[in-house]
Amino acid sequence: MANGQTPKLDKLDKGPWPSFVREIKRAAEKSPMSKDLLGLLELSYTEKIGHWKHGGIVGVLGYGGGVIGRYTDVPDKFPNVEHFHTMRINMPTGWFYTSKALRTICDIWEKHGSGLTNMHGSTGDIVLLGTRTEELEPIFSELTKEGFDLGGSGSDVRTPSACVGPARCEWACYDTLALCYDLTMTYQDELHRPAFPYKFKFKCAGCPNDCVASVARADMSIIGTWRDDIQVDQSAVKEYSDKGLNIQKDVCGNCPAKCMDWDGQKLDIDNRSCTRCMHCINAMPKALRPGKDRGACIMLGSKAPIVEGAQLSSVLIPFMKMEPPYQELKDLCEKIWDLWCEEGKSRERVGEFIKRVGMGNFLEAIDIEPSPYQVAYPRDNPYIFYEEYFEEGDDEEEAGEE
């Protein structure tokens, strides 16, 4: 509150767990903006209404995205948060930093903003919370001198993100770091200058474990997979069994495709029925590995529950090789964007657009052949209406039978 007391927020500062209130209080020791932020939050908790308002266009010269304008509707009570803009900074691919880089970002932000950061936002960016309009250009100038750029915000390509992939993970089926960097560099214009109906997110996951949750959080999920057989070391499988792993129950029994069998000596896998779920490989990493013919499954359409509820991405291309310069993937993206920008409604995610026009019409418009992999639920309803099953005159025959 204006008197500096925050009894309601103080309740969130108790307990052994990390508390955002505790961190804001630490920042408030040096930052008047953070101090007023505490007061504003306490007022919102007391009155049970929010006191932030959005509106107006703020940003840096030449960019349309990267800054989210935010103001308070009670500037007379909390003048230091009259402007409280958020800046999104494009993170390094795979979120690798040097300690010097982190100190540099924090020094710039303490000099020009509230000192509060969010590492990382839901898209993956570094999020810098709270600065005034007149500080945006100086911050941008200092960040770019240090090699950082703004990320995406608004109706544009959001900052592409990736799991650590081959840098630390033995299961990576393609180089997620290289693809993410390439997409970021290729689509600079689409990232910084909003021209889409709404946001479009890329997330690159190196294997079907999908540690970046791309299937739930990206409009286009690029998930590493393989199309040949799982590599099996039978002696290592036996070793797991000898050490007490119940392979029939805990590995074969939990296989969603029921495509595995263990006779006590040999593990048999029906690879044609395998869904690439990674369960068996996770359970016996010394014995099983992904196949050697590796690439990625391209999935499309996930989003958070804002307009029509949450959606997961569904399969668009079951397998695509992921090798530089990634032209096949880029051609696909640009076909989708051309259609979506032409026919999509304002603030309609691409997944919502597909639901509205129908997957069959969407595939036809982007010139993709339908596939049995494009299903609403595994082994269930196909999206595709197979018109070739019907011959001309069928309708008349059915009418005659009636």
Side-chain angles (χ1 to χ4, degrees):
M1 303 293 283
N3 62 10
Q5 301 301 309
T6 56
K8 293 185 181 300
L9 287 181
D10 291 346
K11 293 179 182 178
L12 300 176
D13 191 14
K14 303 184 187 306
W17 52 83
S19 165
F20 75 95
V21 174
R22 191 176 306 156
E23 296 305 317
I24 297 176
K25 285 181 177 177
R26 288 177 61 188
E29 293 172 5
K30 294 190 290 185
S31 165
M33 189 174 271
S34 296
K35 187 175 181 180
D36 272 8
L37 175 63
L38 284 171
L40 187 72
L41 288 175
E42 181 72 19
L43 182 64
S44 291
Y45 277 56
T46 302
E47 297 181 350
K48 296 184 172 56
I49 59 172
H51 284 287
W52 294 119
K53 60 178 184 177
H54 299 263
I57 296 175
V58 289
V60 300
L61 189 63
Y63 282 45
V67 180
I68 300 136
R70 183 168 288 121
Y71 307 87
T72 177
D73 61 1
V74 284
D76 52 325
K77 293 181 180 176
F78 304 103
N80 293 306
V81 291
E82 180 182 10
H83 302 186
F84 200 76
H85 308 318
T86 293
M87 297 189 77
R88 288 188 176 160
I89 312 301
N90 196 331
M91 68 290 184
T93 305
W95 301 290
F96 289 101
Y97 300 91
T98 63
S99 55
K100 178 178 180 299
L102 290 173
R103 289 192 188 95
T104 298
I105 293 170
C106 291
D107 287 346
I108 293 171
W109 194 237
E110 286 192 345
K111 179 179 174 185
H112 295 286
S114 70
L116 296 172
T117 65
N118 179 347
M119 304 285 282
H120 298 88
S122 58
T123 296
D125 309 88
I126 306 164
V127 179
L128 305 180
L129 296 160
T131 191
R132 296 186 59 81
T133 303
E134 60 269 24
E135 296 290 350
L136 295 174
E137 288 291 349
I139 294 168
F140 180 59
S141 175
E142 293 190 30
L143 286 170
T144 51
K145 284 179 185 173
E146 297 296 337
F148 286 94
D149 195 3
L150 297 190
S153 70
S155 298
D156 57 15
V157 169
R158 296 297 179 87
T159 317
S161 66
C163 71
V164 293
R168 287 198 313 178
C169 178
E170 60 189 315
W171 305 135
C173 294
Y174 70 97
D175 190 339
T176 54
L177 307 175
L179 175 61
C180 185
Y181 182 76
D182 190 290
L183 292 174
T184 304
M185 293 297 107
T186 302
Y187 295 124
Q188 283 287 292
D189 193 44
E190 288 80 1
L191 206 159
H192 293 308
R193 296 170 188 88
F196 290 169
Y198 204 15
K199 65 184 84 170
F200 190 94
K201 297 181 179 180
F202 289 106
K203 287 191 187 296
C204 310
C207 78
N209 282 327
D210 194 15
C211 294
V212 287
S214 66
V215 73
R217 300 169 61 191
D219 296 271
M220 178 169 281
S221 314
I222 306 165
I223 301 178
T225 188
W226 63 97
R227 60 181 170 184
D228 55 353
D229 296 347
I230 293 174
Q231 300 180 71
V232 184
D233 181 341
Q234 295 290 354
S235 61
V237 176
K238 185 68 167 54
E239 187 178 334
Y240 274 106
S241 177
D242 293 342
K243 289 183 177 178
L245 178 65
N246 187 331
I247 294 176
Q248 187 60 44
K249 177 185 175 187
D250 297 331
V251 180
C252 303
N254 289 328
C255 172
K258 305 301 179 195
C259 68
M260 316 182 77
D261 190 48
W262 168 247
D263 63 4
Q265 297 297 320
K266 184 181 178 185
L267 183 70
D268 286 320
I269 304 176
D270 175 10
N271 281 279
R272 291 186 61 193
S273 297
C274 174
T275 58
R276 278 59 170 168
C277 76
M278 291 289 288
H279 168 71
C280 60
I281 296 175
N282 292 332
M284 299 190 293
K286 285 176 62 178
L288 304 178
R289 300 182 65 80
K292 294 179 180 177
D293 187 9
R294 300 179 181 185
C297 175
I298 312 300
M299 305 180 73
L300 196 67
S302 72
K303 70 177 196 66
I306 294 177
V307 179
E308 294 186 2
Q311 287 179 208
L312 297 178
S313 288
S314 56
V315 172
L316 183 66
I317 307 291
F319 185 87
M320 182 184 289
K321 296 295 280 188
M322 281 295 130
E323 295 169 348
Y326 312 107
Q327 197 56 50
E328 187 179 0
L329 178 67
K330 292 172 185 173
D331 289 345
L332 174 66
C333 290
E334 287 157 24
K335 280 183 183 177
I336 293 169
W337 291 343
D338 285 347
L339 176 65
W340 178 46
C341 290
E342 184 71 24
E343 304 291 343
K345 297 178 180 178
S346 176
R347 297 182 71 81
E348 182 179 52
R349 297 284 287 271
V350 71
E352 294 164 340
F353 170 69
I354 293 170
K355 282 187 71 174
R356 179 165 62 83
V357 303
M359 180 59 104
N361 293 327
F362 175 76
L363 293 176
E364 187 175 356
I366 62 170
D367 197 24
I368 297 289
E369 286 293 321
S371 158
Y373 291 100
Q374 294 155 345
V375 294
Y377 305 99
R379 303 174 189 281
D380 201 329
N381 302 326
Y383 279 130
I384 309 304
F385 184 72
Y386 289 95
E387 294 181 354
E388 62 267 32
Y389 288 170
F390 296 89
E391 299 293 339
E392 190 174 347
D394 281 357
D395 290 344
E396 288 79 357
E397 288 178 13
E398 289 179 7
E401 289 172 2
E402 291 176 358

